[in-house]
Amino acid sequence: MKFNWFNNEYGVAEIRNTVVVDEDSKSKIPNDFGSEDVASYFVYVQKEVVNLKKSCEVEDSNLQVKNEEIKKVDGLTNAMEVELKKMKREAAAREKEASSTKLDDKKKTRSTSTSKRVTKDH
């Protein structure tokens, strides 16, 4: 007896039972194939298939939940990166403004002190 397994679109195995008989072995085949053993085997296999299907559904569900969590974390990470870039740009702009203000103050101080010198000499 040969058993062939085929998967359908739901991932549940279908069992096809094929009896291979050639001319020489016909005389050796007993009349009783142990039908109770075969039937109990098929019941066992069906139970196993159902259990495997259930476990696959649970695993698929777990994977979907984990994928959703990963997407949330990715979204938060991207938002944090955007905020960090924005903060860096703002800090650079403030620093640039502060340094230009200091330069302007120094120039004003120099020009004021230079003009005071010029007026004292005259």
Side-chain angles (χ1 to χ4, degrees), residues 37-106:
D37 292 339
V38 172
S40 64
Y41 176 74
F42 282 123
V43 169
Y44 168 76
V45 170
Q46 286 174 342
K47 286 181 181 179
E48 286 298 313
V49 168
V50 169
N51 289 336
L52 288 172
K53 182 179 178 184
K54 286 179 183 178
S55 68
C56 286
E57 288 173 355
V58 169
E59 287 298 317
D60 287 344
S61 175
N62 289 341
L63 287 175
Q64 287 176 348
V65 168
K66 287 179 182 179
N67 283 335
E68 289 173 9
E69 290 175 0
I70 288 171
K71 287 179 184 177
K72 288 178 185 177
V73 169
D74 286 344
L76 290 173
T77 302
N78 289 338
M80 289 173 58
E81 288 174 356
V82 168
E83 284 297 315
L84 180 63
K85 288 178 183 178
K86 182 179 175 183
M87 289 172 49
K88 284 182 178 179
R89 273 188 255 123
E90 290 173 353
R94 283 193 302 268
E95 187 176 311
K96 184 177 180 182
E97 184 179 324
S99 66
S100 68
T101 304
K102 287 180 184 177
L103 287 176
D104 289 343
D105 288 344
K106 285 183 182 179

